[in-house]
C-alpha cells in the first residue's frame, strides 16, 4: 500500500480513534487536489485540460468539466472558511481569484477559452449545475463581486437551460438547480422547468429512501450523490420559505436512506464496488454529509465523520490522489474499464461532492464528536444482515474481517421494456467492498465471476440481462432472468435464490436448459499486484491473494467433480492479476435442474473439503432444497 502522496496533518486518536482524521485532513486533501490543477489550466483559468483519455464530448467540454467540478470543491473550501485566509496563508484568496477569473474568461466568447453553449442533452448541462451550486455557496465572495457585465454573461450562458430538454434521469435535477440559481439572482427562468424536474423524480421514488435513476431498475450510488443531493441543494437556494414544502419530503426520504447506508462501507472504509461512475470515489460520502447539512440524518455525528473520513482515507492510503495530486480515471490508479464513454479526464472530480462536510462549521458535532464504529465493525452478528427490498439487495457484513458483500437480485440498469444489455457493474450476483467485477472487455466476454451461465459448445456464456426480482426479506433474496445462448432466440429461465448464513452465501439455482449444454457458477474474483494462489478438488475451488483474501465455491448439489479457476490479467480494478473459482455441470439432460453451491469471500482460511462434508443438502421430488449447516440450522428453498 503506497504512502499518501501529500503531507498529512497530525492525527487525533482521541477524537478520531478509528481513522485519526480531522477537518484539517479534509482541508489538506482539498488543497492538494486544487493546487495540482494549475499546470493544466488554460491561460484565463476557464478550463482545466487534464491528462488522460478524452470523453466523447470533446476536449473543450472536458476542459469545462475540469473547471466546473473543481469549482465545486473550491466553493466548499471557500465557503467553509468563510471566505477568509488563515493567518500566514493565502489559499482561500487565491481560490477566489482563480475561479473568478475562470468565470470571467469562460463566459467571454472572444477569449479563446469560451465554454460551449448549453444545448439540449449536452454534457455542458451537467457541468453547469456544478457551477450554479458553486456560485450559490460562494455568493458573497465571487458572484456579488463580479463585474455587472460578467454577471450578464454568466446569466446568458445559464439561460440555455430555460425551456431546454435534458435526459430523463438524474439530469432533470441539473436543470432544476441551474434555473433556481437564475431565479436567485433575478434572472429570467422557467418555474415549470423546475417544478417539472422535481415532479419527475417523484415518479422514481420506490420507498424506504430509494429512488431509481430514471425508468427501470437503476440502483447505484447515483441515488445518493444525485437524486438525494440535488433536491436538498436546490432547497438551500430557495430558502426555507421558497421550497413549497418539498424540502421536508426530501429530508424525510434522505433520513430513511441513511438508516441503512452505512452498511455499504467496509471496515477499511471501502464502499461496495457496484454501479457506474465509480471513479467519483469520495462522492459516495455525499449523502452522509448532506444528511448533517440538512439536519435530517438519523446517524450519530461521530458515525457520520467515521464513515466519510474512513472512505476518504481508504483511497488516500492507496495512492489517490496520485503523485501529481490528480484523480486518475479508475478506482485506485488508472483503470478505464471502471469508467464510461462519457468519462473524461476531469470526470473523477465529481468526488468534490464528498467534501460537502466543509460547509459545516468547525465546531459542528460532526467535526467535534468522538468517532463511532461502522455497522460492520460492531460485533452483533445478527445485525449484519440487511434486506433492502426496494433495490432487491441483501447486505452482508462480517465484523471479524470488515468485508461487506452486496447480493444483487434487483438492479440491472435496463429499461423496463425493449432490448436489454448486461454490464459487469450491474449484472453480477454479488459485489463487495474487497473485490471488483472482472470488467475489462476480454474478461467480460467470458463473464465467470459471480455469474450463473449456460455455456454454448464454443464456451460462450449466456448473459444475465434483465433481472426480475422475486423476494427480498430477512437473510434471503431471489430473482429470475432469462438466459439465451448465442445464435438462438429461445430463452431459458434461471431462478436464483441467495440465503445468507454466518459468513457464507448459499446459492440455489433452478435452471431450464437444453440438452447437452454446460452450466457454470462462478464465485467472487479476487485481484492483487501478484498472481493469486489457486487450488481445486472434487466439487470445490478457491483462490487467495497474498494478503489472505480468499474466494471459494463449494458444490453441494447438482455439480460435477469438475471445477476450475479462471485467471485474468488487467481485467480488475483491484489489481492486474485476478482469479475466480468456478463449478461446472456438464451435459445437461434437458429440462429442469437444480444446482446448489456455497460461496465464500473471507479473510479467514477456508477448508472447502470440510465444508462440503459437513453441510448436508437434499432435494426432494418436488424440487424443494433442504440444507443443514454444521451448526445444525436447517433452511429450505
Amino acid at each position: 500500500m503506497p504512502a499518501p502522496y501529500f503531507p498529512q496533518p497530525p492525527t487525533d486518536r482521541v477524537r478520531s480513534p478509528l481513522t485519526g482524521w480531522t477537518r484539517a485532513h479534509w482541508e489538506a486533501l482539498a488543497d492538494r487536489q486544487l493546487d495540482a490543477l494549475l499546470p493544466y489550466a488554460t491561460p484565463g483559468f476557464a478550463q482545466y485540460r487534464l491528462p488522460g483519455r478524452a470523453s466523447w464530448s470533446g476536449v473543450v467540454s472536458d476542459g469545462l468539466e475540469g473547471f466546473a467540478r473543481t469549482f465545486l470543491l473550491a466553493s466548499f473550501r471557500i465557503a467553509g472558511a468563510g471566505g477568509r485566509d488563515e493567518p500566514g496563508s493565502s489559499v482561500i484568496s487565491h481560490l477566489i481569484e482563480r475561479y473568478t477569473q475562470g468565470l470571467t474568461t469562460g463566459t467571454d466568447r472572444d477569449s479563446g477559452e469560451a465554454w460551449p453553449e448549453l444545448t439540449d442533452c449536452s454534457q455542458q448541462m451537467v457541468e453547469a449545475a456544478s457551477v450554479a451550486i458553486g456560485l450559490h455557496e460562494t455568493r458573497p465572495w465571487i458572484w456579488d463581486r463580479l463585474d455587472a457585465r460578467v454577471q450578464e454573461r454568466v446569466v446568458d450562458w445559464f439561460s440555455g437551460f430555460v425551456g431546454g430538454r435534458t435526459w430523463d434521469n438524474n439530469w432533470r435535477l441539473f436543470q432544476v438547480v441551474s434555473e433556481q440559481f437564475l431565479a436567485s439572482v433575478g434572472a429570467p427562468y422557467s418555474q415549470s422547468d423546475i417544478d417539472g424536474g422535481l415532479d419527475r423524480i417523484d415518479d422514481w421514488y420506490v420507498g424506504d429512501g430509494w429512488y431509481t435513476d430514471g425508468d427501470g431498475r437503476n440502483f447505484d450510488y447515483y441515488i445518493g450523490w444525485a437524486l438525494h443531493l440535488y433536491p436538498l441543494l436546490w432547497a438551500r437556494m430557495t430558502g426555507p420559505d421558497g421550497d413549497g414544502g418539498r424540502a421536508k419530503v426530501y429530508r424525510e426520504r434522505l433520513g430513511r436512506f441513511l438508516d441503512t447506508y452505512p452498511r455499504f462501507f467496509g471496515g477499511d472504509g471501502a464502499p461496495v464496488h457496484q454501479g457506474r461512475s465509480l471513479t467519483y470515489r469520495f462522492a459516495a460520502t455525499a449523502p452522509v454529509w448532506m444528511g448533517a447539512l440538512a439536519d435530517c440524518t438519523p446517524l450519530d455525528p461521530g458515525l457520520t465523520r467515521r464513515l466519510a473520513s474512513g472512505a476518504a482515507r481508504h483511497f488516500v492510503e492507496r495512492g489517490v490522489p496520485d503523485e501529481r495530486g490528480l484523480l486518475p480515471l479508475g478506482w485506485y490508479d488508472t483503470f478505464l474499464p471502471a469508467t464510461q464513454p462519457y468519462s473524461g479526464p476531469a470526470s473523477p472530480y465529481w468526488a468534490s461532492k464528498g467534501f460537502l462536510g466543509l460547509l459545516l462549521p468547525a465546531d459542528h458535532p460532526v467535526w467535534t464528536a468522538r468517532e463511532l464504529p461502522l455497522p460492520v465493525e460492531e460485533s452483533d452478528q445478527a445485525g449484519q444482515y440487511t434486506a433492502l427490498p426496494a433495490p432487491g439487495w441483501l447486505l452482508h457484513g462480517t465484523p471479524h474481517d470488515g468485508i461487506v458483500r452486496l447480493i444483487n437480485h434487483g438492479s440491472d440498469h435496463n429499461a423496463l421494456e425493449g432490448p436489454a444489455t448486461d454490464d459487469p457493474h450491474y449484472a453480477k450476483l454479488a459485489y463487495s467492498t474487497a473485490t471488483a467485477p472482472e470488467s475489462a472487455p476480454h474478461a467480460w466476454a467470458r463473464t465467470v465471476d459471480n455469474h450463473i451461465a449456460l455455456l454454448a459448445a464454443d464456451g460462450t456464456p449466456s448473459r444475465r440481462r434483465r433481472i426480475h426480482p422475486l423476494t427480498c426479506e430477512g437473510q434471503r433474496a431471489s430473482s429470475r432472468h432469462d438466459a439465451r445462448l448465442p445464435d438462438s432466440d429461445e430463452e431459458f429461465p434461471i431462478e436464483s435464490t441467495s440465503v445468507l448464513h454466518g459468513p457464507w452465501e448459499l446459492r440455489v439455482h433452478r435452471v431450464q436448459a437444453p440438452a447437452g449444454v454446460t452450466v457454470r457458477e462462478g464465485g467472487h474474483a479476487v485481484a492483487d499486484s501478484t498472481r493469486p494462489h489457486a487450488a481445486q478438488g472434487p466439487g470445490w475451488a478457491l483462490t487467495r491473494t497474498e494478503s489472505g483474501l480468499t474466494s471459494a465455491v463449494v458444490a453441494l448439489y447438482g455439480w460435477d467433480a469438475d471445477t476450475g479457476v479462471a485467471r485474468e490479467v488487467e481485467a480488475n480494478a483491484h489489481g492486474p492479476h485476478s482469479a475466480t473459482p468456478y463449478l461446472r455441470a456438464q451435459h445437461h439432460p434437458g429440462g429442469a435442474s437444480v444446482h446448489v453451491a456455497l460461496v465464500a469471500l473471507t479473510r479467514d482460511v477456508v477448508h472447502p473439503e470440510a465444508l462440503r462434508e459437513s453441510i448436508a443438502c437434499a432435494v426432494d421430488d418436488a424440487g424443494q432444497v433442504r440444507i443443514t449447516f454444521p451448526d445444525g440450522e436447517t433452511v429450505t428453498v
Side-chain angles (χ1 to χ4, degrees), residues 30 92 110 171 223 270-271 338 412 458 460 510 516:
I92 302 302
D110 298 322
W171 280 47
I223 309 312
D412 59 20
D458 64 356
T460 302
R510 303 181 189 277

Side-chain angles (χ1 to χ4, degrees), residues 4-5 45 50 164 171 176 205 234 244 258 263 267 274 300 342 344 348 429 431 440 491 507 537 546 551 571 600 619:
Y5 287 120
F45 295 98
L50 300 174
W171 280 47
V176 167
Y205 186 67
W234 164 81
L258 292 176
R263 297 182 182 274
Q274 180 274 341
D300 187 280
Y342 57 71
L429 285 161
Y431 298 90
E491 293 183 333
R507 291 183 189 166
E546 191 173 318
S551 171
V619 180

Side-chain angles (χ1 to χ4, degrees), residues 299-425:
L299 308 181
D300 187 280
L303 177 56
T304 293
R305 190 173 79 258
R306 189 272 175 271
L307 186 157
S309 293
R313 179 180 168 176
H314 177 84
F315 288 104
V316 167
E317 289 183 338
R318 288 157 180 80
V320 183
D322 65 16
E323 69 280 1
R324 301 165 297 178
L326 302 180
L327 301 180
L329 278 165
W331 184 243
Y332 298 132
D333 51 16
T334 300
F335 184 72
L336 296 181
T339 67
Q340 283 66 46
Y342 57 71
S343 303
S347 290
Y349 288 86
W350 242 26
S352 300
K353 296 178 179 185
F355 291 79
L356 266 172
L358 293 178
L359 293 177
L360 294 162
D363 60 357
H364 189 281
V366 297
W367 294 117
T368 61
R370 184 177 172 85
E371 282 183 342
L372 294 180
L374 291 167
V376 75
E377 295 172 303
E378 301 282 7
S379 59
D380 177 18
Q381 183 64 49
Q384 300 305 321
Y385 306 118
T386 305
L388 299 172
W393 288 343
L394 295 177
L395 290 173
H396 177 205
T398 41
H400 69 279
D401 59 13
I403 296 174
V404 173
R405 305 153 196 83
L406 184 155
I407 313 303
N408 176 32
H409 287 279
S411 181
D412 59 20
H413 201 246
N414 278 306
L416 293 174
E417 297 179 352
T421 61
D422 58 341
D423 182 309
H425 295 98

Side-chain angles (χ1 to χ4, degrees), residues 432-520:
S432 85
T433 57
T435 62
E438 303 279 59
S439 53
H442 63 273
W444 184 231
R446 293 184 281 271
T447 188
V448 179
D449 60 303
N450 283 316
H451 183 62
I452 176 79
L454 308 182
L455 301 184
D458 64 356
T460 302
S462 63
R463 323 300 289 192
R464 189 184 189 219
R465 292 187 171 93
R466 185 168 284 114
I467 299 170
H468 303 275
L470 299 174
T471 61
C472 183
E473 184 179 8
Q475 294 170 220
R476 67 176 65 195
S478 61
S479 63
R480 193 199 85 240
H481 76 279
D482 296 320
R484 182 185 298 172
L485 291 166
D487 303 320
S488 172
D489 292 331
E490 189 174 3
E491 293 183 333
F492 301 93
I494 298 177
E495 184 177 316
S496 302
T497 298
S498 297
V499 180
L500 304 179
H501 183 85
W504 307 316
E505 177 196 355
L506 180 78
R507 291 183 189 166
V508 179
H509 303 287
R510 303 181 189 277
V511 177
Q512 293 283 341
V517 305
T518 294
V519 182
R520 187 188 65 199

Side-chain angles (χ1 to χ4, degrees), residues 78-233:
I78 292 165
R84 298 184 299 273
D85 287 310
E86 292 287 334
S89 170
S90 56
V91 168
I92 302 302
S93 56
H94 282 169
L95 289 175
I96 293 171
E97 180 181 352
R98 267 171 60 186
Y99 283 93
T100 298
Q101 185 175 350
L103 285 160
T104 302
T105 309
T107 55
D108 181 356
R109 302 203 179 281
D110 298 322
S111 68
E113 301 175 35
W115 299 334
E117 293 184 21
L118 296 174
T119 55
D120 287 353
C121 298
S122 62
Q123 181 64 32
Q124 296 87 270
M125 287 183 160
V126 184
E127 312 320 324
S130 291
V131 175
I133 295 164
L135 283 170
H136 173 75
E137 297 297 344
T138 60
R139 183 163 181 166
W141 309 288
I142 293 182
W143 175 261
D144 289 347
R145 298 179 184 179
L146 285 178
D147 182 278
R149 292 170 298 178
V150 178
Q151 289 182 338
E152 290 172 4
R153 295 205 305 260
V154 172
V155 165
D156 181 63
W157 184 68
F158 273 112
S159 67
F161 258 121
V162 180
R165 182 174 63 88
T166 75
W167 297 117
D168 196 29
N169 55 17
N170 67 85
W171 280 47
R172 298 292 293 264
L173 296 171
F174 304 148
Q175 185 172 37
V176 167
V177 296
S178 296
E179 292 203 45
Q180 189 61 51
F181 171 73
L182 288 174
S184 73
V185 297
Y189 72 102
S190 168
Q191 187 63 46
S192 64
D193 284 350
I194 295 173
D195 292 341
L198 294 173
D199 290 344
R200 187 67 174 118
I201 69 168
D202 286 341
D203 297 336
W204 303 326
Y205 186 67
V206 295
D208 293 331
W210 283 88
Y211 294 90
T212 176
D213 185 10
D215 294 331
R217 298 195 59 81
N218 306 321
F219 301 105
D220 55 27
Y221 286 109
Y222 273 82
I223 309 312
W225 65 42
L227 287 157
H228 279 298
L229 189 69
Y230 287 103
L232 286 168
L233 290 172

